[in-house]
């Protein structure tokens, strides 16, 4: 299972943002790479559920 990290950031204009970092395994080489995304706090669960 891939490791998931969520960092909550300060409010900007009334909207809270979070930085989501997922470790994704490459099907070609088997090596792990990290995918980083900035999303609003209410979207964190849906982003982590995507595969």
């Amino acid at each position: 299972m891939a490791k998931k990290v969520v960092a909550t950031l300060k409010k900007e204009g009334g909207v809270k943002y979070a930085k989501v970092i997922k470790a994704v395994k490459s099907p070609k080489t088997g090596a792990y790479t990290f995918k980083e995304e900035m999303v609003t706090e209410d979207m964190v669960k849906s982003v982590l559920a995507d595969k």
Side-chain angles (χ1 to χ4, degrees):
M1 179 168 203
K3 185 175 182 177
K4 301 168 189 166
V5 177
V6 177
T8 303
L9 305 176
K10 293 182 182 180
K11 283 202 250 179
E12 293 183 21
V15 178
K16 289 186 178 181
Y17 290 93
K19 183 176 189 178
V20 179
I21 304 170
K22 291 198 278 186
V24 180
K25 189 173 184 179
S26 170
K28 186 175 181 180
T29 64
Y32 284 93
T33 58
F34 295 96
K35 181 179 176 188
E36 298 183 18
E37 291 184 61
M38 293 291 294
V39 296
T40 57
E41 269 192 353
D42 57 341
M43 297 287 295
V44 170
K45 287 186 179 181
S46 64
V47 170
L48 293 176
D50 293 340
K51 291 187 178 186

